């Protein structure tokens, strides 16, 4: 016999324009049977009334369109970032404001690590907030001279190691000549390592093993617990080097009875030729389940703006830094797009600088002439610096965008002062322009780059405040209602899942975020402070305090 549960709540926000607010929602077999009054829903037959949410507010489960499950794996290591941050257990780690505080926390972790040879790894360091002070191997030697110690920066693009770590990596020698390995006055490396081809081999000596770089079973479970605490019921994992082993691990863990979130795992374009990338990704599509969506590609076109590795159009960086790097060759990008369109595989592309955005737009336009597709929804991820003309073009080509609202908060001041200058800083992450140009839009955290939390992300898009408290780009603010749409339906649309998630209406999966207060009544500033009670995912109830 099929069981029907009808939930009552203080208020149920549906994101369904036909009936935006209801008092009850009926769930059967993990799906929404209907949303309306108790009397209307009773028409479906026998039911059990569940009033545990009577004092709470229910909205569609939040959808994170750009994050990495690596956020879960990182908590096996020591957090040393500038901002306060919540761990999967719900504990808050205070932000560290000086190098001395970073050394103190690492030393404390060191004293708890038994094995004298085991590496010690910290993550989240952001010296840009500490007057851009350079951390050296001598600083980290204060933590240990005998144990390898490493600290990964918040951007993920710089790794500091101590003397022991340098020695194990074979880098403690004079005469090194590499732009990614700065030297000290003594002619030896300072311990700061800057490029992926240096960081990867050195990193494994300080604990950056596979579990750190990709994710492991516990990392996935920890990530899922963070999702419950943030009200997230569906999250992308935007870029894994998926292979049969990793896919099997995802299947196993997401298939556990109490796994509380649906993951959308994208295959990244690194280390694989375009044809194999598209063929392999297409072959995964049929392995999708209710809690694991497969069959999508992530391509990285350029680097990061604050790392000066993004590709900018003229006149380039405000501080005169040379233009950034292409992470994919233009002819490879064209081949991936053409093959993916032909195979019906969706591609999300990381672009930060406006030159990278322009390349992807032109490449896609040419590919579409060869392989017309009226609903490809190729999505630009971050797309931080796009101009109004680029958004207009994206709209006409049927593209979607996922803008980095959190970035505007965390690094907006640096963009204004240093990277792109005042004028272009005001147009970064241009939510208003995207919506006005008719481009379907999501907004994101890119966790672990910034913390997972769509209500914070929505707040950031609505206020456009930077960390110093300035409103940067008043004209690009969006309303609370638009921001809430972006973190539910908007993100669902960019991942082609809007037929299944994103709103509370008949036929969709029973995915809810359960909140302490009404987000539609919140101000742009107070939206981020609304407490999350937990989630309902596929009809299963997950309370954050017990997760
Ligand atoms: Zn990312």
């Amino acid at each position: 016999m099929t069981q029907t549960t009808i939930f009552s709540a203080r208020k149920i926000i549906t994101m369904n324009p036909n009936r935006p607010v209801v008092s009850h929602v009926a769930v059967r077999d993990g799906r929404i049977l209907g949303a309306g009054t108790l009397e209307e829903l009773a028409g479906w037959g026998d039911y059990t009334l569940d009033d545990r949410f009577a004092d709470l507010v229910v909205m569609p489960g939040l959808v994170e369109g750009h994050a990495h499950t690596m956020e879960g794996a990182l908590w096996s290591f020591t957090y040393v970032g500038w901002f306060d941050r919540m761990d999967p257990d719900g504990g808050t780690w205070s932000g560290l404001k000086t190098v001395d505080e970073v050394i103190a926390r690492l030393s404390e972790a060191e004293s708890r690590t038994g094995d004298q040879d085991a590496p010690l790894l910290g993550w989240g360091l952001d010296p840009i907030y500490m007057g851009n002070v350079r951390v050296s191997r001598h600083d980290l030697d204060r933590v240990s001279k005998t144990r390898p110690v490493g600290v990964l920066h918040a951007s993920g693009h710089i790794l500091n190691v101590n003397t022991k770590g340098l020695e194990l990596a074979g880098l403690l020698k004079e005469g090194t000549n590499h732009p990614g390995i700065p030297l000290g006055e003594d002619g030896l490396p300072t311990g700061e390592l800057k490029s992926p081809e240096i960081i990867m081999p050195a990193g494994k000596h300080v604990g950056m093993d596979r579990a750190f770089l990709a994710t492991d079973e516990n990392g996935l479970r920890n990530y899922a617990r963070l999702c419950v605490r943030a009200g997230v019921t569906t999250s992308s994992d935007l870029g894994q080097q998926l292979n049969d082993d990793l896919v099997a691990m995802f299947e196993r863990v997401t298939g556990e009875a109490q796994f509380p979130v649906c993951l959308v795992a994208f295959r990244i374009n690194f280390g694989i030729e375009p044809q194999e990338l598209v063929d392999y990704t297409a072959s995964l599509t049929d392995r999708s389940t209710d809690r694991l969506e497969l069959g999508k590609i992530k391509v990285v076109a350029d680097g990061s703006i604050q790392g000066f590795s993004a590709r900018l159009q003229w006149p380039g960086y405000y501080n005169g830094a040379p233009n950034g790097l292409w992470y994919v060759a233009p002819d490879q990008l064209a081949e991936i797009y053409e093959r993916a369109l032909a195979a019906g595989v969706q591609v999300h592309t990381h672009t930060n600088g406006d030159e990278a955005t322009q390349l992807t737009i032109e490449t896609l336009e040419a590919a579409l002439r060869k392989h017309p597709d009226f609903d490809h929804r190729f999505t630009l991820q971050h797309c931080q610096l796009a101009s109004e003309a680029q958004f207009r073009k994206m709209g006409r080509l049927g593209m979607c965008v996922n803008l980095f609202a959190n970035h505007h908060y965390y690094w907006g001041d640096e963009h204004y002062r240093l990277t792109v200058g005042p004028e272009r800083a005001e147009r970064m992450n241009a939510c208003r322009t995207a919506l006005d140009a008719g481009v379907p839009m999501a907004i994101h955290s890119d966790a672990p780059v910034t913390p997972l939390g769509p209500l914070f992300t929505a707040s950031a898009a609505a206020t456009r405040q930077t960390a110093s408290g300035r409103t940067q780009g008043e004209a690009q603010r969006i309303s609370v209602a638009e921001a809430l749409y972006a973190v539910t339906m908007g993100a669902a649309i960019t991942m082609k899942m809007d037929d299944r998630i994103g709103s509370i209406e008949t036929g969709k999966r029973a995915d809810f975020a359960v909140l302490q207060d009404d987000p539609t009544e919140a101000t742009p500033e107070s939206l981020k402070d609304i407490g999350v009670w937990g989630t309902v995912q596929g009809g299963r109830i997950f309370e954050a305090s017990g997760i």
Side-chain angles (χ1 to χ4, degrees), residues 140-180:
L140 297 184
D141 285 347
R142 287 158 58 198
V143 178
S144 175
K145 285 193 164 71
T146 54
R147 181 197 299 284
V149 179
V151 178
L152 188 68
H153 287 218
S155 69
H157 298 292
I158 299 177
L159 174 72
N160 285 103
V161 299
N162 69 347
T163 303
K164 185 70 183 177
L166 267 185
E167 187 190 315
L168 290 175
L171 296 173
L172 192 65
K173 54 182 188 232
E174 289 180 45
T176 303
N177 180 13
H178 189 291

Side-chain angles (χ1 to χ4, degrees), residues 66-68 238 298 350 382 446-447 449:
H66 184 156
H68 304 272
L238 204 67
K298 157 91 174 287
H350 159 124
H382 305 322
D446 198 10
V449 177

